[in-house]
Amino acid sequence: MNVMIDVSYLTKNYDRKIEHIRSLGADVNFLFITDCHSGLNRQSSQNSKYRSPEDFELAENALEAMRYVAGRCEIDFALCGGDVGNDYAPTPKGVHNAISEFYDNLYSLPVPVHCCVGNHDDAVGFSAEIGRCIKDFAISPEKMHELCMRNNLTKENYYFFDHEKSGLRFIILNIADHPYTPDENGNYTHGWGVDFSEKQLLWLDNVALSTDKTCVILCHMPISCKGIFGCCGYPYGFREKNDFPRGDEIMSCIKKHGNVCMWLAGHVHADNLRYGDGDLHGVVTVTTDSSFLDPQMQPFPVRRFGEETETVFDVFSIKDNYLYITRFGAGLDRQAWLHNTKKVLPKSAEWLWQEEIRHSKSK
């Protein structure tokens, strides 16, 4: 029997935002959470002279707060941007439990759930970095599929699903698309490196994007780091270099099809909203802050344990060409205009725009 978690300290101010979501009358509303790193703060507190494990946020609390929202407004599904477990845990059991317990809680939400794989999720990178036995800690692609891809009807760790009411196709990409080839000791050799296979690229081009539907791409990493805050050198880092594997080929593919309106990502532990340039013209890149609170690496927004600001998740609402991002937790609501949707400006919005022009001229 599950014990009810008291998350009123998180949800006490949610109702006004829930009412706002209801008032939008959107074609689709979905929850988005990313970079929970479940159990990492609790582990870090073990050696702290100043804090106990109870002083830190828990990923299951954020999920209970999401359950509160999903029960009070029309949510079509939930998306998760990866990096969900604690690959720094000192034992294989600790690593595996952190990720499996998170997914069990996530998939118990009262809406369909779809996830992408993050670069921390297979537990190979940190194991390789500190020289521990990788094969004992690693989570194989097959196990990741079992844990993370519960609503994926294909055998791959990437897929898409169509949302009929909005006419949108949501494409889930895998940035940890490694061959997982063991060395003579049975250890995987890819380390922290991210990868994107030729097979996945061909699938994206010939299957996922070959549609007359407007597409939203969910991937753990932003495909272009240009102008994105949080990619390196915390807490002040920007990275101009794009190191997304096959990034140029993927961007050319997106440009060829011309039906991608948004690239949604985590990874950088920061809020960004950037309109594309070059081959990403017309695509808005959205990243969100991490659900995980890292006081050493997050300069803003101000977040505190035990308060509403300790976690972050959003409801994304899309209506016609408008994107409304409603923030629960630390940070602010955001809005964006979606290009490449094959929709014209709604008459009501066009009328308001013309009225503003006429009003400004009459002054």
Side-chain angles (χ1 to χ4, degrees):
M1 180 177 178
N2 292 329
V3 177
M4 294 296 294
I5 302 171
D6 182 6
V7 292
S8 57
Y9 72 102
L10 294 175
T11 62
K12 60 184 179 181
N13 296 315
Y14 282 6
D15 290 349
R16 178 180 58 83
K17 294 206 168 188
I18 290 170
E19 186 58 37
H20 166 69
I21 294 167
R22 288 174 176 168
S23 72
L24 292 173
D27 300 319
V28 59
N29 296 308
F30 62 88
L31 287 156
F32 179 63
I33 190 168
T34 189
D35 294 85
C36 301
H37 296 282
S38 181
L40 180 53
N41 270 331
R42 180 175 282 275
Q43 177 194 327
S44 301
S45 69
Q46 305 281 333
N47 300 319
S48 173
K49 297 179 181 178
Y50 309 104
R51 293 186 181 276
S52 71
E54 288 70 30
D55 290 329
F56 292 92
E57 97 289 350
L58 298 174
E60 55 262 41
N61 290 9
L63 295 178
E64 285 304 307
M66 290 171 65
R67 191 186 307 277
Y68 180 94
V69 174
R72 287 162 175 79
C73 58
E74 185 177 346
I75 300 295
D76 295 276
F77 52 87
L79 299 181
C80 177
D83 278 7
V84 304
N86 176 17
D87 56 328
Y88 297 97
T91 65
K93 182 178 180 180
V95 170
H96 295 182
N97 284 349
I99 190 170
S100 62
E101 289 174 358
F102 177 86
Y103 279 126
D104 285 345
N105 278 293
L106 179 66
Y107 278 94
S108 74
L109 290 173
V111 293
V113 175
H114 303 276
C115 307
C116 66
V117 180
N119 62 305
H120 280 263
D121 289 330
D122 66 5
V124 172
F126 184 64
S127 298
E129 186 175 280
I130 66 172
R132 65 190 184 184
C133 184
I134 298 173
K135 65 181 179 181
D136 291 339
F137 284 83
I139 297 173
S140 68
E142 294 77 18
K143 184 63 176 178
M144 187 63 66
H145 192 279
E146 176 186 330
L147 291 168
C148 176
M149 299 276 140
R150 300 185 191 184
N151 286 318
N152 177 4
L153 300 180
T154 80
K155 66 178 182 179
E156 307 294 346
N157 284 349
Y158 48 86
Y159 67 108
F160 68 82
F161 68 94
D162 294 334
H163 183 257
E164 296 304 327
K165 180 183 175 183
S166 64
L168 294 171
R169 170 167 292 183
F170 290 81
I171 301 172
I172 318 295
L173 299 184
N174 179 14
I175 195 58
D177 193 13
H178 308 292
Y180 283 79
T181 303
D183 62 16
E184 63 275 8
N185 297 316
N187 286 323
Y188 300 122
T189 57
H190 55 258
W192 282 114
V194 294
D195 208 351
F196 198 94
S197 68
E198 176 75 13
K199 181 180 179 181
Q200 187 176 182
L201 177 64
L202 291 172
W203 169 85
L204 177 65
D205 187 10
N206 299 323
V207 179
L209 289 178
S210 291
T211 177
D212 59 358
K213 296 179 181 294
T214 298
C215 298
V216 173
I217 292 178
L218 170 65
C219 185
H220 178 63
M221 292 175 60
I223 188 172
S224 171
C225 290
K226 188 174 182 180
I228 296 292
F229 177 83
C231 291
C232 65
Y234 285 108
Y236 308 110
F238 289 86
R239 176 182 291 168
E240 296 301 322
K241 177 185 176 183
N242 290 336
D243 54 3
F244 196 101
R246 302 185 186 274
D248 290 342
E249 296 171 88
I250 296 169
M251 285 192 281
S252 295
C253 177
I254 289 172
K255 182 180 180 181
K256 181 181 79 172
H257 289 278
N259 58 354
V260 176
C261 67
M262 176 169 56
W263 185 289
L264 177 58
H267 184 60
V268 298
H269 293 208
D271 289 333
N272 290 274
L273 196 158
R274 183 182 65 85
Y275 289 95
D277 59 284
D279 284 344
L280 272 183
H281 179 70
V283 179
V284 61
T285 297
V286 182
T287 73
T288 79
D289 199 353
S290 61
S291 171
F292 168 75
L293 198 173
D294 186 342
Q296 294 180 328
M297 300 179 76
Q298 292 168 316
F300 65 90
V302 175
R303 298 174 63 176
R304 293 186 177 91
F305 298 112
E307 299 181 9
E308 184 180 345
T309 58
E310 78 171 18
T311 194
V312 163
F313 65 89
D314 295 283
V315 171
F316 281 63
S317 303
I318 299 174
K319 184 175 183 179
D320 298 317
N321 296 79
Y322 299 98
L323 169 65
Y324 304 90
I325 306 173
T326 305
R327 170 58 50 88
F328 292 88
L332 300 173
D333 297 350
R334 295 178 283 172
Q335 295 182 16
W337 173 261
L338 298 179
H339 298 268
N340 298 342
T341 61
K342 301 179 181 178
K343 290 185 178 181
V344 298
L345 192 69
K347 287 184 178 180
S348 58
E350 184 176 8
W351 180 84
L352 288 171
W353 178 58
Q354 295 292 344
E355 283 294 295
E356 287 184 10
I357 293 175
R358 283 192 289 270
H359 181 68
S360 63
K361 287 181 178 180
S362 65
K363 288 184 177 179

